[in-house]
């Protein structure tokens, strides 16, 4: 029972490069989320997908795009990475009508 | 938008003592208040939550209280143990059924043996 799996766990990018962070859940949850965690800032919502086929902006969406590929997978894309996007990124999922979010172990991204 | 303030940022206690972490929120429409525990190198994990129609909730050594009038809620941990050492986050949401959470900045709890 893996829960929420994120890949990769660590990544270093150069400014201007692009990459996609992958997230998959095996709990048959309808809703999925991307948060970023910066030192002293707590977690902030980037984008979420209430159900397959829908996506909505969160608190800090600028510089990111998302794709809800199917019910299991929700990816986060950085088209042109900037040093300000250095952060730890967490994917989460929840069951429709339930508030509890289940988080993955995170992707530590450094943009140099 | 919602703003969640959390205090203290660090808390050191002796094993067996109690620990209290406090949060305030700004949006009176918020109605769901979870607490998450994050261990080093891991994602946050829900430990307890409370809804706006309840004033207090307990689960063994942990409890959460909510004062809607004052817009603040607190986490209480009794009989602390070294394995309680972690970063604790409070959060608030007004989107029932979805985990679109606004988090506090976290409290690092250190429990010394």
């Amino acid at each position: 029972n893996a829960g929420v799996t994120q890949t990769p766990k660590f990544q270093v990018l150069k400014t201007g490069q692009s990459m996609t962070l992958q997230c998959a859940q095996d709990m048959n949850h309808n809703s999925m989320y991307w948060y970023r965690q910066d030192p002293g800032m707590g977690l902030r919502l980037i984008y979420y997908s209430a159900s397959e086929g829908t996506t909505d902006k969160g608190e800090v969406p600028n510089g990111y795009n998302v794709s809800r590929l199917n019910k299991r997978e929700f990816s986060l894309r950085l088209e042109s990475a900037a040093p300000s996007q250095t952060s730890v990124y967490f994917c989460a999922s929840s069951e429709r009508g339930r508030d509890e979010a289940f988080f993955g172990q995170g992707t530590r991204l450094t943009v140099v | 938008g919602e703003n969640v303030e959390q205090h203290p940022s660090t808390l050191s206690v002796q094993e067996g003592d109690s620990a209290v972490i406090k949060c305030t929120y700004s949006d009176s429409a918020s109605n769901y208040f979870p607490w998450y525990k994050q261990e080093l190198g891991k994602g946050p994990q829900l430990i307890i939550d409370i809804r706006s129609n309840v004033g207090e909730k307990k689960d063994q050594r942990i409890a959460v209280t909510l004062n809607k009038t004052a817009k603040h809620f607190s986490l209480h941990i009794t009989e602390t143990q070294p394995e309680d050492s972690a970063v604790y986050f409070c959060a608030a949401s007004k989107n029932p059924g979805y985990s679109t959470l606004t988090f506090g900045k976290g409290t690092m709890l250190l429990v010394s043996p």
Side-chain angles (χ1 to χ4, degrees):
Chain A
N1 186 7
V4 178
T5 302
Q6 295 182 233
T7 55
K9 288 185 170 52
F10 301 93
Q11 183 71 47
V12 179
L13 286 180
K14 293 182 179 179
T15 298
Q17 286 186 318
S18 63
M19 81 160 294
T20 299
L21 281 64
Q22 306 287 353
C23 175
Q25 52 91 10
D26 62 3
M27 296 174 282
N28 202 35
H29 287 167
N30 286 291
S31 303
M32 298 185 73
Y33 313 82
W34 278 104
Y35 286 87
R36 61 177 286 173
Q37 182 176 33
D38 301 299
M41 292 292 293
L43 288 88
R44 292 180 292 171
L45 182 64
I46 305 170
Y47 271 95
Y48 69 102
S49 171
S51 60
E52 189 178 353
T54 69
T55 60
D56 285 287
K57 295 178 180 179
E59 181 186 354
V60 289
N62 291 345
Y64 305 96
N65 287 301
V66 291
S67 295
R68 183 74 183 268
L69 305 171
N70 48 56
K71 191 173 185 179
R72 289 186 63 247
E73 299 173 288
F74 188 38
S75 63
L76 179 72
R77 183 161 178 82
L78 288 70
E79 291 291 351
S80 178
S84 61
Q85 294 178 305
T86 293
S87 189
V88 181
Y89 291 86
F90 286 100
C91 177
S93 69
S94 68
E95 189 176 332
R96 181 181 296 169
R98 299 288 300 274
D99 295 295
E100 180 177 1
F102 294 82
F103 284 83
Q105 294 213 337
T107 294
R108 184 174 294 275
L109 175 67
T110 302
V111 183
V112 298
Chain B
E2 174 67 278
N3 182 48
V4 177
E5 299 283 342
Q6 182 172 347
H7 300 280
S9 56
T10 59
L11 180 59
S12 294
V13 300
Q14 293 290 318
E15 182 176 2
D17 287 349
S18 295
V20 180
I21 303 170
K22 298 182 179 182
C23 289
T24 60
Y25 62 98
S26 62
D27 192 339
S28 57
S30 291
N31 53 24
Y32 173 67
F33 307 93
W35 286 88
Y36 282 82
K37 176 182 181 181
Q38 186 178 28
E39 297 177 337
L40 194 62
K42 297 186 178 180
Q45 184 173 15
L46 181 73
I47 56 171
I48 196 167
D49 55 12
I50 193 167
R51 298 187 186 280
S52 58
N53 58 348
V54 176
E56 183 177 3
K57 184 177 179 180
K58 289 184 179 180
D59 183 2
Q60 299 183 346
R61 294 187 299 109
I62 61 174
V64 58
T65 59
L66 171 65
N67 183 325
K68 279 205 70 180
T69 303
K71 294 193 198 137
H72 67 71
F73 57 112
S74 301
L75 176 71
H76 303 254
I77 305 174
T78 60
E79 301 174 18
T80 55
Q81 302 166 3
E83 50 265 39
D84 293 330
S85 296
V87 179
Y88 292 80
F89 291 97
C90 63
S93 173
K94 59 180 179 181
N95 197 2
Y98 299 101
S99 293
T100 50
L101 302 168
T102 300
F103 282 85
K105 294 183 179 181
T107 296
M108 180 175 290
L109 175 64
L110 300 172
V111 182
S112 303

